[in-house]
Amino acid sequence: MTPRNSTAVTHFVLLGLTDRAELQPVLFAVFLAVYLITVTGNVTLIFLIRTDSKLHTPMYFFLSHLSLVDLCYATNVTPQMLVHFLSERKTISFAGCFIQFNFFIALVITDYYLLTVMAYDRCVAICKPLVYGSTMSSRVCLALVAATYVYGFANGLAQTMLMLRLSFCGPNEINHFYCADPPLLVLACSDTYLNENTMFVGAGFNLSCSLAIILISYLFIFAAILRMRSAEGRRKAFSTCGSHLTAVTVFYGTLFCMYLRPPSEASVEQGKIVAVFYIFVSPMLNPLIYSLRNKDVKRAMRKVVKKNMVTKNRTTVTEFILLGLTDRAELQPVLFAVFLAVYLITVTGNVTLIFLIRTDSKLHTPMYFFLSHLSLVDLCYATNVTPRMLVNILSTRKTISFTGCFIQFHLFIALVVTEYYVLTVMAYDRYVAICKPLVYSSRMSSRVCLALVAATYIFGFANGLVQTVLMLRLSFCGPNEINHFYCADPPLMVLACSDTYVKTMAMFVGAGSNLSCSLTMILITYVFIFATILRMRSAEGRRKAFSTCGSHLTAVTVFYGTLFCMYLRPLSETSVEQGKIVAVFYIFVSPMLNPLIYSLRNKDVKRAMKKVMKKELFAK
């Protein structure tokens, strides 16, 4: 263990697929598309298998775990790689590198043996159909899957411990897009003989052993199929194996190319191309292979589509009635005037702020770039609710179509979650500016800022989509009066005729985790900011640093305070009534106040506003 004492490297630089700058945006778009297809395909397959009772068989149970592992090891590599495509500083911490290294090996080996277990399952189903039910019982299936995970993660831990014994005191540039064995071994300052042999033995043994079991299983399968007298029986038996054989060929072919060669600069370069196939192509293709070639999966998919898009699972409701804030007729004109005024102030304030930031060159900084997107999100989610609410206040028929309701529902959740993380990114920007001012320009380059904003939108809209799909699974066959002024989670679930347990849990987990996670990051960021400010000797420096954070802290307090009141409480009629009052603050008050907070407390914005007014009113 003494070699670790000579380790001087605290982080690594991932060189990626290529150093050609003009290719980075193209590669970002390509791999982002591949990753989104991978996530969508695997999550859909897991969802179908979990929800369709006809897919509750050993074969599909193993397939759902194959999709889970594919999803996890693609996620282990892809987000970091996408960030590096748009970043000038392509670093990963020493600890982060070895965590990625451990999970990658663990998940790949788990994948080996899941494919092996799936081959064994087909062998029992075709060769011994009479004892299939007892041989592949639920307990046996669970034990087989648990064994693959335990063995895979044990292998990953062993390889990681051996790699940690090496010292890394020289160059820290990993010639790859993730922390892989061969390029890490090339960088080691100490003797890598034991690691190389362990890698060859471990990879060779696991590849050969799992593939040998698969091949032996298929020898018995093909022998059993050829003994069948019925041509229909042979065709059906072959069809159940075709998808698995295709997946095995793609996965094992690339892995043999990856590992069974000595680590060198040339092999590392070749390994990048090979790695693209088993990290990106294989996890993306597996759901397509198993869905396009499988009648049961296609039937389940058609059933879900039909259920959600056509029949809505006994749903007879074609429109909803929004009861609004109050049913007192004498208050409707007053409410209309108040909320119209608030909305006009909101639109004017946010549009003005976006315009100033876009047109004034002195506001072309990361802080104001993020602020312009905060204003855009505020504007969008106020507009998502307010016009419909204003129409309903003056209308006797306060209806919204089924489709319109769910579009509003989706956009609302997507935009609110996006706002969580835009505020989080703004806190991170202030942290870098105050705590690490010397590296601020490189850390917060235009490409990094663009990547951070894009990530908030993608994550926000993905959350909205998930919650909308879960809500669409419910049936609405009874009353259609939504006790709210927009289509929100709690009042919609109160109307559902079917079991809302999954949706309720998803709402609490989603809202709670996003609120807590984003707020925790903001609070941690401000702990570092305040610690840095208190260490400043200059009172003027402390005042200036505090002033750049004041507006953001005020916006965070207003926004998060009301959202915690909204979501983190049990679902009931009383909570829905309370939710109306709380919702007024974060839908109307927060978007209206944010431009005022950031303009009245900010000299740069006030200067830009005066400049525009002077130019328009007095110039020429």
Side-chain angles (χ1 to χ4, degrees):
M1 303 297 274
T2 53
R4 278 299 309 276
N5 295 332
S6 62
T7 297
V9 172
T10 57
H11 66 271
F12 294 101
V13 178
L14 293 165
L15 297 183
L17 277 172
T18 178
D19 58 357
R20 293 177 61 183
E22 68 274 14
L23 290 178
Q24 304 300 316
V26 178
L27 291 172
F28 175 84
V30 170
F31 285 101
L32 177 61
V34 169
Y35 182 59
L36 291 176
I37 293 168
T38 301
V39 171
T40 304
N42 285 288
V43 168
T44 301
L45 201 54
I46 293 167
F47 171 76
L48 290 174
I49 292 168
R50 289 288 186 268
T51 55
D52 194 298
S53 58
K54 291 185 179 178
L55 299 182
H56 291 175
T57 64
M59 181 175 80
Y60 294 111
F61 174 72
F62 298 135
L63 177 56
S64 68
H65 282 278
L66 180 69
S67 288
L68 178 62
V69 171
D70 280 345
L71 183 62
C72 289
Y73 85 73
T75 301
N76 183 46
V77 174
T78 315
Q80 180 81 48
M81 182 183 178
L82 291 173
V83 169
H84 285 172
F85 278 135
L86 299 180
S87 175
E88 293 173 7
R89 195 166 179 269
K90 306 174 189 295
T91 59
I92 184 171
S93 67
F94 191 91
C97 184
F98 279 90
I99 289 169
Q100 188 184 69
F101 175 85
N102 173 58
F103 275 100
F104 183 79
I105 292 175
L107 291 165
V108 167
I109 293 175
T110 303
D111 219 327
Y112 295 166
Y113 290 101
L114 276 174
L115 288 167
T116 307
V117 166
M118 291 172 77
Y120 173 70
D121 170 71
R122 290 301 82 205
C123 181
V124 177
I126 293 169
C127 301
K128 300 187 178 185
L130 297 178
V131 294
Y132 180 71
S134 58
T135 304
M136 300 302 293
S137 65
S138 57
R139 293 176 70 179
V140 171
C141 292
L142 196 61
L144 287 170
V145 165
T148 63
Y149 282 107
V150 170
Y151 182 74
F153 277 83
N155 267 265
L157 183 61
Q159 293 287 344
T160 306
M161 293 300 291
L162 284 171
M163 190 66 80
L164 283 168
R165 290 181 67 251
L166 301 177
S167 57
F168 297 89
C169 52
N172 66 340
E173 292 184 344
I174 298 175
N175 192 11
H176 218 299
F177 55 83
Y178 74 100
C179 294
D181 298 42
L184 271 172
L185 291 175
V186 170
L187 297 181
C189 302
S190 49
D191 183 23
T192 62
Y193 177 80
L194 179 61
N195 290 75
E196 287 181 30
N197 282 289
T198 304
M199 183 184 76
F200 287 139
V201 170
F205 171 76
N206 286 310
L207 275 166
S208 304
C209 180
S210 57
L211 189 57
I213 297 170
I214 291 170
L215 293 175
I216 291 167
S217 297
Y218 273 104
L219 285 175
F220 284 105
I221 288 170
F222 292 148
I225 290 173
L226 294 173
R227 288 196 299 269
M228 292 178 181
R229 295 179 181 179
S230 165
E232 178 62 22
R234 287 196 295 272
R235 188 197 61 76
K236 188 175 180 181
F238 270 122
S239 70
T240 63
C241 304
S243 301
H244 182 258
L245 275 173
T246 307
V248 165
T249 303
V250 173
F251 187 72
Y252 279 86
T254 52
L255 281 171
F256 267 107
C257 295
M258 176 66 187
Y259 279 105
L260 301 188
R261 48 190 170 72
S264 65
E265 284 299 328
S267 70
V268 170
E269 287 298 328
Q270 296 162 2
K272 290 184 187 180
I273 308 304
V274 175
V276 167
F277 282 88
Y278 71 83
I279 294 175
F280 302 104
V281 178
S282 180
M284 178 183 71
L285 289 180
N286 281 350
L288 301 175
I289 290 167
Y290 280 99
S291 58
L292 296 177
R293 296 178 60 93
N294 191 299
K295 289 182 179 179
D296 292 331
V297 174
K298 286 192 283 188
R299 177 199 52 76
M301 196 175 295
R302 281 195 295 266
K303 181 180 173 184
V304 169
V305 171
K306 187 178 178 182
K307 173 181 168 182
N308 289 334
M309 303 291 287
V310 184
T311 63
K312 301 288 188 301
N313 189 24
R314 302 192 323 272
T315 295
T316 55
V317 172
T318 58
E319 63 180 21
F320 293 101
I321 298 170
L322 293 165
L323 297 183
L325 276 172
T326 179
D327 58 357
R328 292 176 62 182
E330 68 275 14
L331 290 179
Q332 303 302 317
V334 178
L335 290 173
F336 177 84
V338 169
F339 285 106
L340 177 60
V342 168
Y343 181 59
L344 291 175
I345 294 168
T346 301
V347 171
T348 305
N350 285 288
V351 169
T352 302
L353 201 53
I354 294 168
F355 172 77
L356 291 173
I357 292 168
R358 290 288 185 267
T359 55
D360 194 299
S361 59
K362 291 185 179 179
L363 299 182
H364 291 176
T365 65
M367 182 175 79
Y368 293 111
F369 174 73
F370 297 134
L371 177 56
S372 68
H373 281 277
L374 179 69
S375 289
L376 178 63
V377 172
D378 279 344
L379 183 62
C380 288
Y381 85 76
T383 302
N384 183 45
V385 174
T386 316
R388 167 65 63 179
M389 180 184 176
L390 291 173
V391 169
N392 284 350
I393 287 174
L394 297 183
S395 174
T396 53
R397 195 168 180 269
K398 307 174 188 295
T399 60
I400 183 171
S401 69
F402 191 95
T403 305
C405 184
F406 278 89
I407 289 172
Q408 187 184 71
F409 175 85
H410 167 67
L411 288 175
F412 181 79
I413 293 176
L415 292 165
V416 168
V417 175
T418 301
E419 179 136 354
Y420 295 165
Y421 292 102
V422 169
L423 287 167
T424 307
V425 166
M426 291 174 76
Y428 174 71
D429 170 72
R430 291 299 82 207
Y431 159 75
V432 178
I434 294 169
C435 301
K436 299 177 185 283
L438 298 178
V439 295
Y440 180 71
S441 57
S442 59
R443 282 276 185 94
M444 301 305 292
S445 65
S446 57
R447 292 171 74 179
V448 172
C449 293
L450 194 61
L452 288 170
V453 165
T456 63
Y457 282 106
I458 291 167
F459 186 74
F461 277 81
N463 267 264
L465 183 62
V466 169
Q467 293 291 340
T468 306
V469 169
L470 287 172
M471 188 67 83
L472 281 167
R473 289 183 65 245
L474 302 178
S475 55
F476 297 90
C477 53
N480 67 339
E481 293 183 344
I482 297 176
N483 191 12
H484 218 298
F485 55 84
Y486 74 101
C487 293
D489 291 46
L492 267 173
M493 283 190 285
V494 169
L495 299 182
C497 302
S498 50
D499 183 21
T500 61
Y501 177 79
V502 173
K503 180 64 186 78
T504 304
M505 289 298 104
M507 183 187 76
F508 285 139
V509 171
S513 61
N514 283 312
L515 275 165
S516 304
C517 180
S518 56
L519 188 56
T520 300
M521 287 190 278
I522 291 170
L523 293 175
I524 291 171
T525 300
Y526 273 105
V527 167
F528 285 105
I529 289 172
F530 291 148
T532 302
I533 291 173
L534 293 173
R535 287 197 300 270
M536 291 178 179
R537 295 180 181 179
S538 164
E540 178 62 22
R542 287 196 296 271
R543 188 197 63 76
K544 190 175 180 181
F546 271 122
S547 71
T548 63
C549 302
S551 300
H552 181 258
L553 276 173
T554 307
V556 165
T557 304
V558 173
F559 187 73
Y560 279 86
T562 52
L563 280 170
F564 267 107
C565 295
M566 176 67 186
Y567 281 103
L568 302 186
R569 50 192 168 72
L571 183 63
S572 66
E573 283 295 335
T574 307
S575 70
V576 171
E577 288 296 329
Q578 295 165 353
K580 290 184 189 180
I581 309 303
V582 175
V584 167
F585 281 89
Y586 69 84
I587 294 175
F588 302 104
V589 178
S590 179
M592 179 185 69
L593 289 180
N594 281 349
L596 300 175
I597 291 167
Y598 281 99
S599 59
L600 296 177
R601 295 177 60 94
N602 192 299
K603 289 182 180 178
D604 293 330
V605 175
K606 286 192 284 187
R607 178 199 53 75
M609 197 177 295
K610 287 174 185 174
K611 180 180 173 183
V612 169
M613 290 175 68
K614 185 178 179 181
K615 179 180 176 182
E616 294 296 325
L617 295 173
F618 302 107
K620 299 179 184 180

